[in-house]
Amino acid sequence: LLVASLLECVLAFSFWVLDGNAAEGILNNSPIEVSADIAINSKYIWRGFKLDDDPVMQQGIYVSGYGFTASIWGSFDMRNRDSLNSDEVDYAIDYTHEFGKLSLSLGHTYYDFPGTNGFSREFYIGTGFDIPLSPALTWYHDYGKESSGGGKGDYLVVELSHSFPLGESPITLDLSGHIGYNHKLFINGDGEDAALGMALTIPLTEKITFSPNINYSVPFGDLKSSSDGNQNDKFYGGVTLAYGF
């Protein structure tokens, strides 16, 4: 029921924002910003873990203002060809403050896993730099109990990204990558993962963009070990439709 309700809300919101007139009337001259996205991906890969080998639908709603962003994001299995149950709904709150070209972020995420009746909780602190390659460093601490589905561990990640305009067109080529260090987060020991991503951002209207993407994920250490994380290299891709006021 939770999955169905969230999906209905996201789809209803998506149809509402595609018209845009009512939303723009409410938010005109307001510091509050609202955005939404919906994506279909060939797999669900998270921090080097394969959470689902089936195609997934992922969607979110984001409300921002005064440095805060509140969001609801969900991922749902579109098929059931494997034994993995990856259905997930995340509730997150973030506060980000900018100091010139430096930004600091603090946030918390509650992970709900309706298919397994499990949940986890995680807070994070991060910093980013408004310079070429947009480097960012974030530390996540999961304090959810393992008996309830929590990870009970830490994840430190360095991320880089850059966008290139394609000639005179409004389309951009977006490149991204990260390398992360995992300390007992859903594994017993220590492991690492790295990923590279490439996407196109194609404006469909002033407020709607379409983005096809392809990604490659590589696990290392205990994350790759057959006696612990047992993860493998994976190619995956998808498309995203995003709307922003």
Side-chain angles (χ1 to χ4, degrees):
L1 291 176
L2 177 60
V3 173
S5 297
L6 179 63
L7 183 57
E8 289 173 0
C9 289
V10 171
L11 291 176
F13 181 78
S14 299
F15 285 121
W16 179 61
V17 298
L18 287 175
D19 173 73
N21 293 329
E24 288 184 4
I26 295 172
L27 297 175
N28 190 30
N29 298 322
S30 169
I32 304 300
E33 297 181 356
V34 179
S35 60
D37 56 39
I38 185 165
I40 295 176
N41 290 305
S42 61
K43 304 178 189 294
Y44 183 10
I45 307 295
W46 177 80
R47 299 179 186 174
F49 287 99
K50 180 186 69 177
L51 299 188
D52 208 311
D53 216 16
D54 293 327
V56 292
M57 178 180 289
Q58 300 175 326
Q59 55 272 308
I61 299 176
Y62 316 89
V63 180
S64 302
Y66 304 101
F68 289 93
T69 298
S71 65
I72 302 176
W73 181 90
S75 179
F76 307 106
D77 196 340
M78 296 180 66
R79 296 183 182 177
N80 194 19
R81 297 180 300 182
D82 57 30
S83 59
L84 300 172
N85 191 332
S86 69
D87 287 357
E88 173 185 338
V89 182
D90 301 345
Y91 305 89
I93 183 71
D94 173 276
Y95 178 74
T96 297
H97 190 80
E98 296 182 358
F99 303 88
K101 293 185 177 295
L102 170 69
S103 64
L104 295 175
S105 299
L106 178 67
H108 184 274
T109 304
Y110 178 89
Y111 298 91
D112 182 33
F113 310 120
T116 61
N117 294 319
F119 66 92
S120 193
R121 295 165 293 183
E122 180 180 77
F123 66 77
Y124 64 85
I125 184 169
T127 183
F129 299 88
D130 185 16
I131 59 176
L133 297 183
S134 304
L137 173 67
T138 309
W139 168 58
Y140 298 87
H141 177 66
D142 187 309
Y143 63 99
K145 295 180 180 180
E146 294 178 356
S147 59
S148 301
K152 198 73 172 180
D154 298 275
Y155 184 73
L156 184 68
V157 62
V158 176
E159 299 170 284
L160 300 173
S161 62
H162 193 73
S163 294
F164 302 86
L166 296 183
E168 299 298 321
S169 76
I171 300 173
T172 60
L173 172 64
D174 310 317
L175 303 179
S176 61
H178 80 253
I179 183 165
Y181 169 70
N182 183 321
H183 177 64
K184 298 185 177 181
L185 180 65
F186 293 108
I187 58 176
N188 294 319
D190 298 294
E192 300 81 37
D193 78 285
L196 295 173
M198 181 174 65
L200 291 175
T201 297
I202 305 169
L204 300 182
T205 71
E206 183 180 351
K207 301 180 184 299
I208 301 173
T209 60
F210 175 74
S211 300
N213 66 83
I214 187 169
N215 309 273
Y216 184 57
S217 175
V218 183
F220 303 98
D222 285 324
L223 188 62
K224 187 177 181 67
S225 172
S226 59
S227 62
D228 200 346
N230 198 32
Q231 299 299 306
N232 299 312
D233 302 1
K234 288 289 183 183
F235 270 111
Y236 60 102
V239 293
T240 300
L241 188 68
Y243 185 99
F245 292 105

